[in-house]
Amino acid sequence: MAKIKKRGTSGQAKNFITRTQAVRKLQVSLPDFRRLCIYKGIYPREPRNKKKASKTSTASTTFYYTKDIQYLLHEPILNKFRDHKALAKKIARSLGRGEVGDAARLEKTTKPRITLDHIIKERYPTFVDALRDLDDALSLLFLFANLPSTSTVPPKTISLCQRLCLEFEHYLIITHSLRKSFISIKGIYYQATIQGQDILWLVPHKFVQRVTGDVDFRIMGTFVEFYTTLLGFVNYRLFTSIGLVYPPKFDTKSDERGGELSAIILEGAGVTKERDPDQLTNGTAEEDGMSGPHERTADIQRQADQLAEISEPLEESAATDRVMDDDAATDAIDKFEVQGEGADVLDQPRMSDTEAGLLFAPYSFFLSRETPRQPLEFLLRAYGCKRISWDEVLGDGAFTNDENDPSITHQVVDRPPVQHPDVPAELDEDQPDAQALPARSGRMPGRTYIQPQWVWDCINQGKLLRPDLYAPGATMPPHLSPWVKPSKAAYDPTLSLAEQEGEAEAEQAGLDEEEQQELDQLAAAADDNAEVEVEDDLDSDADHGMDVASGDSDDASEVEDFGGFGSDDIEALAGADEDEVEDTRTQDQKELEAEAAGLIYTEPSPNGSKNGGLASSSMGKGEELRKRAAKKRKEEEEELERRKMMMSKKKRKLFEKMAYSNRQKDDEAAKLRSKRRQLEKGKS
């Protein structure tokens, strides 16, 4: 006889474990269990059948893999949690006895320190694995770097996030690894490529953030604690890979004055900056200070040896550069050309990373007070610009604070131009008071004024765009996401309507416009006729209201001379009746002929204008084109139905879903094109 299987020992009941059972098995509290799962990267799982996995009649909501919980049993952090719990009991006992000094001493000396270094090495065996998981880490750390300090978000955490984010930005600036950026309502998106891995993160706008109570900052704080450790490891590896000292020195006084990027002082590879040693906070300033002549001589000798070692590879690199320059003339980038209509359109090769990283290198920028200084400074420095200036109120670290500096080539402004009433529109450059122009009109001769969007669009397209399209007060081109590629049938705001709309849609739009114009002409003609009739009525009323004394005798004589209707008068009246009957028959015949031909017949206007005939011909033409398009559409639908009959039921359903989604996209694109057509018509 076969052995009866015990319930809950195999299948889903064995593979899954509820959260309550996991907490009891690990012997920790629920908050500690959450922290441990966040540190180790263990998340709830969804079983196929909750009743079979729960082992009870009550269907639980949260399940974990049994192997994951078994894996947590050997985690060293569990011992730290238990030590922390034991310390909390000791502190509570001391406070209960009134021994406040002992409680403070216990908290200060015996508090267990939790380190996550071993978890970082365990979760990310290689450096590429850490780079792949850096998107969420950067987004969360940049968010906390912009939050105000509260009881739930301590200032120490905020300063740590700010420093790690600034260090990461400095690496991107030095290596020119930034690739794309996009401004959205949520914030500013950035994308960088590091060792072949694309990293995308979001930086919120520099607004005053309001911390609400419906956000659990304890869980977010746990993620921040883990991500700060991860980003510290990544920054160390990145800095050391390019020969920089990590951690870099931090200028506290510059940071207090709003220096941000300029507060980080890099060392190594010829990027050391001279700063006041009293401002540096990482303890290396006292070690750098030479106290004796022997130490100073040893330091000079050490620097000379380093220069000698560097000079040899520099000579070799110069020789190789000469050889590469000779071959550069033949290394032009090929472009893919479309061979025929309907062929695949390949992405054109862009400039190299080195050329793209030096896009703004030859220029000098000045940032006005109303522009966002932090993202603009980061973008310009990441693309090679070394001379970035701004007003003194925006913070420390500017190349110059003088807006009238003649070396500035571009000025970023975000406000409409205001012309001073005393300043003429154009001034002669030969005038001696030409230098007084900035003080009166706010414009420097020979300087390019652009809006901030110009910087983002130049970076995304990899080239310098026309600055006149981004002039102050001008309507700029649409700012599109660089990660969304327009499909064939989708609406593309960068193209004209003629390049996007189909032939039928263009004809229909033209006919609608013509019909609208003709209807407007008919309405205008009707208004003119109504005005003429009103004037005639006014004249007749005026005549009836006047007393014409001289005409009484004539009217009386005419009445006396009237002798009744003659035979000629009767024949004239009969002929008029026959003409009216003939006109009615002719009009009926024309209406029948127009209806048979699919046209619309309208009666000509009584004032003899040709508006009625024009309306009938054009509107009939439009109706004919509509019927032709409907007939063609019907034939295509019949052909499609015949093809669908040859499909299987599964493929037919899939095809119908695809066709439905395509119709939705086409309708949305048609609506957008219609709105744009109306806007362009209104502007014209």
Side-chain angles (χ1 to χ4, degrees):
M1 184 177 177
K3 188 177 180 181
I4 300 175
K5 268 189 177 182
K6 191 176 180 181
R7 184 181 178 184
T9 57
S10 63
Q12 295 190 38
K14 184 180 180 182
N15 295 335
F16 293 93
I17 185 173
T18 63
R19 188 179 67 179
T20 305
Q21 294 171 347
V23 170
R24 290 176 181 173
K25 190 169 187 178
L26 295 175
Q27 296 182 1
V28 292
S29 61
L30 184 58
D32 291 341
F33 176 74
R34 287 174 178 162
R35 289 180 63 190
L36 188 60
C37 289
I38 291 172
Y39 291 154
K40 300 290 288 185
I42 294 174
Y43 300 97
R45 307 293 179 176
E46 187 71 19
R48 294 183 179 178
N49 193 332
K50 287 189 175 183
K51 278 191 175 181
K52 292 182 179 180
S54 62
K55 304 179 188 177
T56 59
S57 58
T58 305
S60 301
T61 56
T62 307
F63 292 89
Y64 293 88
Y65 281 142
T66 305
K67 289 184 178 180
D68 291 343
I69 303 303
Q70 197 74 20
Y71 172 66
L72 291 179
L73 285 172
H74 309 284
E75 177 56 43
I77 293 183
L78 278 176
N79 296 328
K80 298 288 185 179
F81 286 162
R82 293 175 182 133
D83 294 343
H84 191 277
K85 189 175 181 180
L87 177 63
K89 289 182 179 180
K90 293 180 182 179
I91 293 175
R93 189 183 303 116
S94 299
L95 292 176
R97 295 174 180 175
E99 301 172 352
V100 181
D102 292 345
R105 178 182 56 81
L106 287 172
E107 185 177 6
K108 186 176 180 180
T109 57
T110 62
K111 184 177 181 179
R113 304 292 178 182
I114 298 177
T115 57
L116 306 177
D117 300 349
H118 66 285
I119 296 180
I120 298 296
K121 297 176 183 178
E122 181 182 304
R123 288 185 61 177
Y124 307 107
T126 62
F127 184 61
V128 175
D129 295 332
L131 292 177
R132 289 172 182 168
D133 202 22
L134 208 58
D135 297 359
D136 295 335
L138 289 173
S139 299
L140 187 62
L141 293 183
F142 272 99
L143 171 64
F144 268 74
N146 292 314
L147 287 180
S149 60
T150 59
S151 58
T152 54
V153 185
K156 186 177 180 180
T157 301
I158 296 174
S159 61
L160 178 60
C161 294
Q162 290 175 349
R163 182 165 180 173
L164 290 173
C165 293
L166 292 176
E167 292 172 358
F168 184 75
E169 287 183 346
H170 267 289
Y171 172 79
L172 299 180
I173 291 172
I174 293 175
T175 58
H176 306 295
S177 301
L178 192 66
R179 292 293 172 263
K180 298 176 182 178
S181 182
F182 175 66
I183 307 174
S184 72
I185 194 172
K186 295 180 180 179
I188 303 176
Y189 288 90
Y190 297 98
Q191 183 183 11
T193 303
I194 301 175
Q195 295 188 8
Q197 301 297 321
D198 292 334
I199 303 171
L200 178 67
W201 71 97
L202 174 64
V203 179
H205 294 293
K206 286 284 185 179
F207 297 141
V208 178
Q209 306 289 341
R210 295 183 179 180
V211 180
T212 58
D214 56 349
V215 180
D216 192 353
F217 281 96
R218 293 179 301 173
I219 295 179
M220 295 184 69
T222 305
F223 277 102
V224 168
E225 185 180 0
F226 175 76
Y227 285 148
T228 50
T229 308
L230 171 62
L231 189 57
F233 271 81
V234 171
N235 286 348
Y236 171 77
R237 180 67 178 270
L238 293 176
F239 272 62
T240 54
S241 64
I242 59 176
L244 296 179
V245 177
Y246 190 84
K249 295 181 179 180
F250 190 71
D251 191 345
T252 55
K253 292 186 178 179
S254 178
D255 183 62
E256 291 174 358
R257 295 192 298 266
E260 295 194 357
L261 283 174
S262 61
I264 301 293
I265 305 170
L266 303 178
E267 293 180 318
V271 295
T272 306
K273 297 180 181 179
E274 296 295 334
R275 294 291 182 95
D276 186 4
D278 297 335
Q279 302 176 9
L280 308 181
T281 59
N282 65 348
T284 57
E286 297 178 358
E287 299 173 3
D288 293 342
M290 297 300 175
S291 57
H294 299 287
E295 295 177 354
R296 188 178 298 108
T297 305
D299 183 60
I300 294 173
Q301 183 63 35
R302 194 183 307 112
Q303 293 180 2
D305 295 340
Q306 292 177 357
L307 290 175
E309 293 176 358
I310 294 174
S311 61
E312 295 178 359
L314 284 178
E315 294 176 357
E316 297 177 0
S317 63
T320 56
D321 289 341
R322 285 192 295 270
V323 176
M324 292 177 65
D325 291 339
D326 297 336
D327 299 336
T330 60
D331 292 341
I333 299 178
D334 296 332
K335 293 186 178 181
F336 302 114
E337 297 181 357
V338 181
Q339 298 297 329
E341 186 177 357
D344 295 336
V345 180
L346 301 176
D347 293 336
Q348 297 295 337
R350 301 177 62 184
M351 64 177 66
S352 63
D353 296 342
T354 306
E355 295 176 353
L358 301 176
L359 188 63
F360 302 127
Y363 308 108
S364 177
F365 286 82
F366 185 88
L367 309 179
S368 299
R369 288 180 294 176
E370 70 276 3
T371 58
R373 176 212 137 187
Q374 289 82 5
L376 285 174
E377 181 189 4
F378 171 55
L379 290 173
L380 293 174
R381 291 191 187 279
Y383 277 80
C385 184
K386 302 293 184 182
R387 301 174 298 277
I388 307 174
S389 309
W390 54 79
D391 196 90
E392 191 175 0
V393 298
L394 294 180
D396 192 21
F399 178 74
T400 180
N401 298 124
D402 185 12
E403 186 177 357
N404 300 330
D405 190 349
S407 63
I408 297 173
T409 60
H410 292 71
Q411 183 167 347
V412 184
V413 297
D414 198 11
R415 54 188 171 188
V418 179
Q419 183 69 23
H420 197 276
D422 298 336
V423 179
E426 296 181 359
L427 290 178
D428 190 4
E429 297 181 356
D430 298 334
Q431 293 180 357
D433 58 343
Q435 296 298 329
L437 181 64
R440 294 186 290 173
S441 65
R443 289 297 183 96
M444 284 285 293
R447 183 179 298 182
T448 303
Y449 290 83
I450 35 86
Q451 299 188 49
Q453 183 183 331
W454 181 80
V455 179
W456 271 270
D457 290 351
C458 289
I459 288 173
N460 293 334
Q461 297 191 24
K463 61 181 181 181
L464 295 176
L465 302 177
R466 290 172 49 188
D468 58 322
L469 299 177
Y470 300 85
T475 302
M476 297 180 292
H479 182 58
L480 304 177
S481 173
W483 300 285
V484 178
K485 295 183 178 179
S487 59
K488 186 176 182 181
Y491 171 72
D492 189 359
T494 59
L495 301 177
S496 62
L497 288 175
E499 297 176 356
Q500 299 184 64
E501 58 189 6
E503 183 178 355
E505 185 179 355
E507 291 180 357
Q508 183 65 30
L511 289 173
D512 293 342
E513 187 175 354
E514 290 178 2
E515 291 178 2
Q516 185 64 32
Q517 291 178 357
E518 290 160 2
L519 290 175
D520 294 340
Q521 292 177 2
L522 288 174
D527 293 340
D528 295 340
N529 295 334
E531 291 178 0
V532 171
E533 292 176 359
V534 170
E535 290 177 358
D536 294 341
D537 294 341
L538 291 175
D539 294 341
S540 62
D541 293 341
D543 292 340
H544 287 299
M546 293 178 63
D547 295 333
V548 183
S550 62
D552 294 341
S553 60
D554 296 337
D555 293 341
S557 62
E558 288 178 1
V559 171
E560 290 175 357
D561 295 339
F562 179 70
F565 291 103
S567 59
D568 296 336
D569 297 334
I570 293 173
E571 291 178 359
L573 291 172
D577 293 338
E578 291 177 359
D579 292 340
E580 290 181 0
V581 172
E582 186 65 25
D583 292 341
T584 305
R585 290 177 181 175
T586 305
Q587 181 179 351
D588 294 340
Q589 183 66 23
K590 290 181 179 179
E591 289 179 356
L592 291 174
E593 292 176 358
E595 184 178 355
L599 304 176
I600 300 176
Y601 177 79
T602 58
E603 185 179 358
S605 58
N607 60 351
S609 66
K610 299 181 180 180
N611 291 332
L614 288 173
S616 62
S617 62
S618 62
M619 294 177 70
K621 183 181 178 182
E623 187 68 23
E624 183 181 358
L625 288 175
R626 290 192 189 94
K627 287 185 177 181
R628 195 180 302 167
K631 183 179 179 181
K632 184 178 180 181
R633 196 182 310 113
K634 186 177 179 181
E635 292 176 355
E636 291 177 354
E637 290 177 357
E638 291 176 354
E639 179 65 22
L640 184 62
E641 288 295 331
R642 284 194 293 269
R643 292 184 179 182
K644 286 168 61 177
M645 290 173 61
M646 305 300 296
M647 296 181 181
S648 63
K649 186 177 180 181
K650 183 177 180 180
K651 291 183 178 180
R652 192 184 307 119
K653 287 184 177 181
L654 179 61
F655 177 78
E656 289 175 354
K657 290 181 180 179
M658 294 169 59
Y660 176 77
S661 62
N662 290 338
R663 283 196 302 271
Q664 294 290 107
K665 293 178 181 178
D666 293 342
D667 294 343
E668 186 66 26
K671 288 180 182 178
L672 293 174
R673 286 193 292 268
S674 176
K675 289 182 180 179
R676 180 175 175 181
R677 194 179 297 110
Q678 293 176 2
L679 289 173
E680 291 180 355
K681 183 180 177 182
K683 290 180 180 179
S684 61

